Amino acid sequence: MKDSLVLLSRVPAHPDSRCWFLAWNPAGTLLASCGGDRRIRIWGTEGDSWICKSVISEGHQRTVRKVAWSPCGNYLASASFDATTCIWKKTQDDFECVTTLEGHENEVKSVAWAPSGNLLATCSRDKSVWVWEVDEEDEYECVSVLNSHTQDVKHVVWHPSQELLASASYDDTVKLYREEEDDWVCCATLEGHESTVWSLAFDPSGQRLASCSDDRTVRIWRQYLPGNEQGVACSGSDPSWKCICTLSGFHSRTIYDVAWCQLTGALATACGDDAIRVFEEDPSSDPQQPTFSLAAHSRQAHSQDVNCVAWNPKEPGLLASCSDDGEVALWKYQRPEGL
Amino acid sequence: MERVLGLLSCTLSRALWSSGLSEQGAARQPRIMEEKALEVYDLIRTIRDPEKPNTLEELEVVTESCVEVQEINEDDYLVIIRFTPTVPHCSLATLIGLCLRVKLQRCLPFKHKLEIYISEGTHSTEEDINKQINDKERVAAAMENPNLREIVEQCVLEPD
């Protein structure tokens, strides 16, 4: 287990500050990082080293909490505590601000692009989730304001292939939304976590959703369509979601992020105990009641809380992480033999 | 004198341990925790109350016994503080929690994880307050609010 997660490189990405989030571009060649220093940095390789290719220092007045690349890779969205979301267009080596999305009453906590590239979602401490439509002329329009959560919304993520949106909240729940007759509605609420849900990740097929929480567990939820074989009840035409697995006893503090590798199915977590863990599903386990084993555990991956883990979308086993210590680290993960 | 006694006690317990007569580290641990707890207390007792011209120690919002330090592993500690707010007013309790966190984040020299709670039974919405003051994202955002930041800075300012 010790050798399954090997450190490749460590970069002081946001010195004297904390690094909150990381995002790989769709091509897997660039890594965007953002932090408490209000900056966004773009990292790439030059030979064997990771170097900073660009810095975006104007644009936000407060912490940049999350960044997200558009599916085409030409745009980067940044969500900030200054209550705005900026959209940046990538030119040769630079980034130019295309527009600033305003409307949230306070800190924007997350931003995510739908796989189609035409929709964007943001969420905030103001308890709402906003859905934005973007047209060919780079015009952004808010098409829905969803007020389903009763508290601060921490994270939003889109389904890998459907126009289905998921959100995680301080109210301890996960909610799912879809478009119904020209409006967006909340179609499911996943209850079970006993404290703030910090992050979410869909599995490669989109049939399962992983959530991680301040309650120190990861929960795996499965979608059951109406008329399913397993006899899981659905109301009307909406699918039902059921918690099919809970990973507890592995993490000793809040789990801030979970990432599901779209290439290999490995599940990585970022924890407040400074560690990174990777879980693999047992190949012989029942799909309705899967079991996961701890495949790698880097105890002191960082010197402070790990805030984010992100799998490279093209290179299997390449994992990036970042921490309150301001550093970004790159790891090579290899599934241990016999697991 | 206390320091000499402390060293003697350490030496004694180490001797006991190496002779197999005492559990490894067991006799030594409580002393480390107490020292660490005192280090923490020394930093928080001078924090000023946001409303009154007194320190948290003077108002008994914090006391020596309200600090607990546990060893997580070598060189890493869990610090737990249970404070008693002077009035059952939400925003003041949250503000005190914020001051405690900021002071220790900046000044505590050893590696630590911090949990801050309102001492049980002293507030009607203690669960709500505890959740807020232990949510580091909420704390970070609050400290970027200039008004709030100014108040906190005034409270944690080291006395001349």
Side-chain angles (χ1 to χ4, degrees), chain B residues 19-33:
Chain B
S19 66
L21 288 173
S22 154
E23 266 180 83
Q24 181 188 0
R28 194 172 158 231
Q29 270 183 359
R31 176 150 290 268
I32 291 180
M33 303 313 114

Side-chain angles (χ1 to χ4, degrees), chain A residues 62-63 65 81 107 109 152 154 170 172 196 198 253 272 274 303 305 307 324, chain B residues 73 76 78 111 113-115 128 131-132 135-138 140-141 144-146:
Chain A
R62 296 197 186 176
T63 286
R65 180 63 180 91
F81 284 179
E107 302 91 66
K109 302 286 176 97
D152 181 8
K154 300 292 198 186
Y170 183 99
D172 309 349
T196 298
W198 279 97
R253 297 198 68 76
D274 312 349
S303 61
D305 293 7
N307 293 320
D324 274 354
Chain B
N73 53 54
D76 196 5
L78 172 61
K111 188 168 174 344
K113 298 290 179 192
L114 180 59
E115 285 173 19
D128 295 341
K131 194 170 182 179
Q132 264 195 79
D135 179 320
K136 71 179 187 185
E137 189 185 65
R138 294 287 278 260
E144 287 191 335
N145 173 319

Side-chain angles (χ1 to χ4, degrees), chain A residues 192-199 210-221 243 245-256 258 269:
Chain A
H193 278 299
E194 293 166 8
S195 189
T196 298
V197 188
W198 279 97
S199 193
S211 59
C212 66
S213 166
D214 176 58
D215 69 6
R216 308 174 185 186
T217 69
V218 170
R219 282 176 181 255
I220 314 285
W221 311 81
C243 179
C245 178
T246 302
L247 301 176
S248 54
F250 294 99
H251 301 82
S252 57
R253 297 198 68 76
T254 304
I255 310 170
Y256 290 107
V258 61
T269 59

